[in-house]
Amino acid sequence: MNFAEIKYCDIANGSGVRTVLFVSGCRHHCPFCFNESAWSFEAGEPFTREVEDKIIESLRPAYVNGITLLGGEPFEPENQARLVQLLERLRAELPEKDVWIYSGFTWEQITQGPSRAHTEEAQKLLSLADVLVDGPFVQDLKSITLRFRGSSNQRIIDVKRSLDANEVVLWEDDPLYTTHGL
């Protein structure tokens, strides 16, 4: 697996302060994608153990809430197994950190298929996540007023509650944010 970019201390791609990993490779090719440079699976650099170590270290400070995976496409089959390894390590070493994943696939495509994302590894990857922002970016549904998503068709899903309920349960925003309008 390759990665296109890593951002440290990011506040735009999930709640709180985050480390953000942009994986390489995406076959969705959504028109007006903000990260077209990550469509190629060869884009960026190899995701090595050293890179993984640096990510884990970046997550250790108490002020860092967690990690966000996006791309490219984390649920492309070529990326799934390596991301499962990363998240299994994260859960073992830093279980208090949360995991957000952005995907152009919908919850239904990942959990029920048919799609290339519907694999055994994808189910493991999903089980290690806390929040999934699902669905392709759609330019006609774009709104800059949406928090943590680019178009109104995308959902912010509470993964644990959805898996338990066997249906989509939307993530509830931080009450401090919604109360104070930050």
Side-chain angles (χ1 to χ4, degrees), residues 127-145:
S127 74
L128 293 163
D130 296 292
V131 176
L132 173 71
V133 181
D134 82 332
F137 171 75
V138 177
Q139 178 67 25
D140 290 344
L141 301 175
K142 177 182 178 180
S143 173
I144 61 170
T145 65

Side-chain angles (χ1 to χ4, degrees), residues 11-172:
I11 58 169
N13 296 292
S15 64
V17 177
R18 318 192 63 72
T19 294
V20 178
L21 172 63
F22 293 83
V23 299
S24 297
C26 182
R27 293 182 182 92
H28 296 301
H29 296 186
C30 300
F32 303 99
C33 173
F34 83 101
N35 203 10
E36 189 175 327
S37 62
W39 286 358
S40 170
F41 287 90
E42 287 76 41
E45 303 172 39
F47 190 78
T48 62
R49 177 62 183 212
E50 292 75 26
V51 172
E52 179 180 304
D53 291 345
K54 188 172 180 184
I55 288 172
I56 295 293
E57 287 308 307
S58 77
L59 294 164
R60 292 197 187 281
Y63 65 86
V64 178
N65 295 67
I67 189 169
T68 299
L69 307 176
L70 37 93
E73 173 58 64
F75 282 96
E76 288 288 3
E78 294 87 340
N79 294 330
Q80 294 174 9
R82 188 63 183 92
L83 291 174
V84 166
Q85 291 174 356
L86 170 65
L87 295 185
E88 285 176 340
R89 180 176 173 195
L90 175 67
R91 292 294 186 207
E93 293 184 31
L94 299 165
E96 73 281 6
K97 303 298 179 175
D98 67 4
V99 175
W100 283 53
I101 303 176
Y102 282 74
S103 178
F105 291 104
T106 64
W107 173 270
E108 293 78 12
Q109 289 172 318
I110 296 167
T111 60
Q112 301 162 19
S115 78
R116 66 185 175 275
H118 182 65
T119 68
E120 192 174 311
E121 286 296 315
Q123 302 319 301
K124 289 179 194 173
L125 183 58
L126 198 57
S127 74
L128 293 163
D130 296 292
V131 176
L132 173 71
V133 181
D134 82 332
F137 171 75
V138 177
Q139 178 67 25
D140 290 344
L141 301 175
K142 177 182 178 180
S143 173
I144 61 170
T145 65
L146 298 169
R147 191 159 186 236
F148 303 133
R149 56 198 174 119
S151 56
S152 61
N153 63 298
Q154 297 171 312
R155 300 175 290 184
I156 305 174
I157 298 171
D158 184 318
V159 173
K160 305 291 186 215
R161 291 177 59 206
S162 296
L163 290 172
D164 288 346
N166 202 28
E167 65 181 7
V168 171
V169 177
L170 297 180
W171 173 77
E172 295 179 21

